[in-house]
Amino acid sequence: MKSMKSMMKFLTLAVGLLAGVTMTSCLNSDSDPTAWGNPIVKVYTTYYPPYVYFETMDGLTIEPTEESYNASISQGFNWSNYNGQIVQLQYSYNSESPDVVIDDSGISGVTLSGLVPLNSAVEVVQTPGAANDSINNMPIISLGEENYNGTAIEPVYWDATTLFVPINYFINSKIHSFTLEYHPYEEALDDDGTLRLYLQHDKEGDNPSNQVDSWDMMLYYGYSYLYYRAFNLSKVENYLMMQGKTMPSSVTIVTYEDDYSLELKDDTKPNEYVVKYEEKQ
């Protein structure tokens, strides 16, 4: 498993501290016109300029310069591998340049600096212990936060098939992996038609401390990609279609939680979070 440092590399540049989940930017100093943006976005590739662009959950678009796009291609970066994925992006721009356009729809004319993918695995596990039954060796603390500056941070649908999930867990120096599992062998649909999915947490050889968690890493150091994960449910939807069923409009994420212990035990308490899909207006 790659270290945090190596995961932050993109092209030939090392990405600096990432800060923010929405499209924000900051200036380096009063004299330096270079500004930075660090949003979580969805990647879209096209057959015409700008060839790749990005969109935040609330619909703001980010377009790179053709020069920046060409530089990424010349260094071997294949954007088609990330088409449709959720990533944390870093870009820069000259705040005094007339070629940079910022309006209510977003920003164009930026230089790409780095990205970290947020997409995590989704598996249909048909029998316990099957080859694709994921490792689950550590509890999480919670999904989201009940109250942050008066607002709840909760799992939501990014789009009709993608869950965007905030996961707080203890961490040290390695990237943890997460998988959502659908278990057809169980009674996976609740009485209200909600689909049950199980969150599996693999610490990937990390030696975490219960003094540091992913929420802190995002809030104080800007590593939003440690806290947020995206899960594309297309694999589950396709399985249900083959069974003559339709994908329900809500899911229940089952987690195993402990706000202190680092060990997953037989008596680790499960928790459930219901996430409902609502079409964007």
Side-chain angles (χ1 to χ4, degrees), residues 4 8 18 88 116 118 175 223-229:
M4 291 182 190
M8 294 296 288
L18 299 179
Q88 184 169 14
V116 184
L118 274 66
I175 303 289
Y223 294 124
S224 299
Y225 69 93
L226 295 178
Y227 184 68
Y228 285 98
R229 299 297 171 99

Side-chain angles (χ1 to χ4, degrees), residues 119-168:
N119 281 67
S120 296
V122 175
E123 297 289 350
V124 177
V125 179
Q126 301 199 38
T127 58
N132 64 339
D133 196 351
S134 305
I135 295 173
N136 189 33
N137 56 22
M138 183 177 166
I140 68 168
I141 300 172
S142 65
L143 293 189
E145 300 292 324
E146 291 185 1
N147 188 333
Y148 177 64
N149 290 339
T151 302
I153 298 176
E154 301 172 318
V156 296
Y157 276 87
W158 183 289
D159 53 36
T161 58
T162 305
L163 287 174
F164 186 56
V165 183
I167 309 173
N168 194 18

Side-chain angles (χ1 to χ4, degrees), residues 17-46:
L17 291 180
L18 299 179
V21 178
T22 57
M23 193 177 74
T24 60
S25 63
C26 60
L27 294 173
N28 286 341
S29 68
D30 292 338
S31 60
D32 186 351
T34 302
W36 297 87
N38 312 284
I40 291 179
V41 295
K42 188 173 183 178
V43 181
Y44 293 90
T45 58
T46 68

Side-chain angles (χ1 to χ4, degrees), residues 72-115:
S72 70
I73 298 302
S74 67
Q75 296 177 60
F77 196 79
N78 188 347
W79 285 104
S80 63
N81 291 339
Y82 295 91
N83 187 39
Q85 288 198 32
I86 310 300
V87 304
Q88 184 169 14
L89 180 72
Q90 185 178 62
Y91 62 86
S92 64
Y93 62 95
N94 185 338
S95 61
E96 297 177 354
S97 172
D99 297 326
V100 176
V101 178
I102 303 176
D103 56 28
D104 291 342
S105 66
I107 182 172
S108 62
V110 307
T111 298
L112 302 173
S113 304
L115 64 78

